[in-house]
Amino acid sequence: MAELMEQRGRGPGGRLDDRLGELVAAAWPALHSQDMAGWTLRSAHGVTKRANSVLALGEPADPDAAIAAVERHYAALGLPPVFTVTGRSRPADLDARLAARGYAEVDRTLAMAADLGPGGADPEVEIADAPSPAWLDTWWSVDGRFPGGLAVAERILAGVPAGYASLAGAAVGRGVPQGEWLGVYAMAVVPEARRQGLARRVLRSLMAWGRAQGCRRAYLVVVEANAGARALYESEGFRPAGHYHYRVGKARRNADTLRS
């Protein structure tokens, strides 16, 4: 596994795992962010842990004091403190420090990467530069976990240029050009249309679209426990190239609103 991660995760810009936290944060931008000694405190009214967590890439002089400051920051927002823990999180023992404070580990997530090959787009897959109401309805019907919040989610999605793919009103996906990388996000198929190959067609079309944008490689993130999605991505050439998980402090309502 480690060898595969090294081989498949490396491109001209370096290993995906080295940039994973920054790429995900840029592709899924929080509405508000604050720097604290190299830690980025992100918030978006509790909609998705990606946009409501700390990306800890800097090294504060007193990590425990910094964690306490994070807890006060999110408490003032009415949110639980959440850390995104990657291979580059600092200090190196951050995960252990959080565990010792009672933070729960949730959503172990695998990053997968693939070269953008010569395949063409599916003519029935539409790709727009903004999420339509139908696109949002399809995605939210699969990934939404609580009433409300869609307006905030739409602001997150539209925070950076992206392509929004849809097929037959039943399958959607989002592609974010990031230099050599295409980030693939928000892949969703309504339950009654699954096992018909729709997700595969959306994925292939997004990869063709990304190649047209100048990207050379694609990455995506998937919860490790989602065996079905992982099998699909592996069959399309994606290989493990990094990972992260979350550490969540005191739980409050809607702390886990959407998928990671």
Side-chain angles (χ1 to χ4, degrees):
M1 177 70 76
E3 183 178 356
L4 277 175
M5 289 174 65
E6 178 71 20
Q7 291 175 349
R8 301 297 298 182
R10 184 178 292 279
R15 293 192 314 130
L16 175 62
D17 204 25
D18 290 338
R19 299 183 57 202
L20 181 59
E22 294 161 300
L23 285 170
V24 172
W28 201 268
L31 302 187
H32 309 283
S33 64
Q34 175 179 322
D35 179 77
M36 188 185 73
W39 287 5
T40 304
L41 282 56
R42 303 170 292 174
S43 61
H45 306 292
V47 177
T48 78
K49 288 188 291 299
R50 288 178 191 152
N52 292 271
S53 59
V54 179
L55 187 61
L57 299 181
E59 190 124 23
D62 186 338
D64 289 325
I67 294 172
V70 164
E71 293 169 349
R72 292 192 296 271
H73 174 82
Y74 284 99
L77 297 175
L79 297 171
V82 181
F83 284 77
T84 300
V85 181
T86 74
R88 287 190 56 209
S89 293
R90 293 294 179 270
D93 65 348
L94 176 63
D95 195 47
R97 288 176 183 268
L98 295 173
R101 295 173 76 100
Y103 280 65
E105 178 185 310
V106 300
D107 289 348
R108 292 193 63 84
T109 300
L110 180 67
M112 305 181 76
D115 294 327
L116 293 179
D122 188 316
E124 295 185 6
V125 176
E126 298 179 358
I127 300 182
D129 60 6
S132 68
W135 190 101
L136 289 166
D137 286 345
T138 300
W139 172 62
W140 194 256
S141 73
V142 176
D143 274 358
R145 291 183 180 173
F146 69 103
L150 179 55
V152 173
E154 183 177 4
R155 290 176 62 192
I156 293 170
L157 293 169
V160 292
Y164 296 85
S166 58
L167 175 60
V172 298
R174 173 177 179 259
V176 183
Q178 297 177 279
E180 72 161 316
W181 290 102
L182 174 75
V184 177
Y185 290 86
M187 292 286 293
V189 180
V190 297
E192 60 270 22
R194 291 173 183 168
R195 301 186 182 279
Q196 299 177 25
L198 301 187
R200 187 182 304 276
R201 294 167 64 185
V202 167
L203 178 61
R204 288 179 177 178
S205 293
L206 280 174
M207 293 177 72
W209 178 84
R211 189 169 57 253
Q213 310 307 306
C215 304
R216 289 176 285 178
R217 295 174 57 73
Y219 76 92
L220 51 81
V221 292
V222 57
V223 176
E224 285 189 1
N226 191 341
R230 289 178 59 180
L232 166 65
Y233 301 142
E234 288 170 359
S235 71
E236 291 297 312
F238 284 83
R239 296 293 180 266
H243 65 278
Y244 64 86
H245 61 272
Y246 296 99
R247 284 285 181 180
V248 181
K250 293 180 181 179
R252 300 187 184 185
R253 178 177 292 182
N254 294 342
D256 185 9
T257 56
L258 294 184
R259 291 180 181 171
S260 64

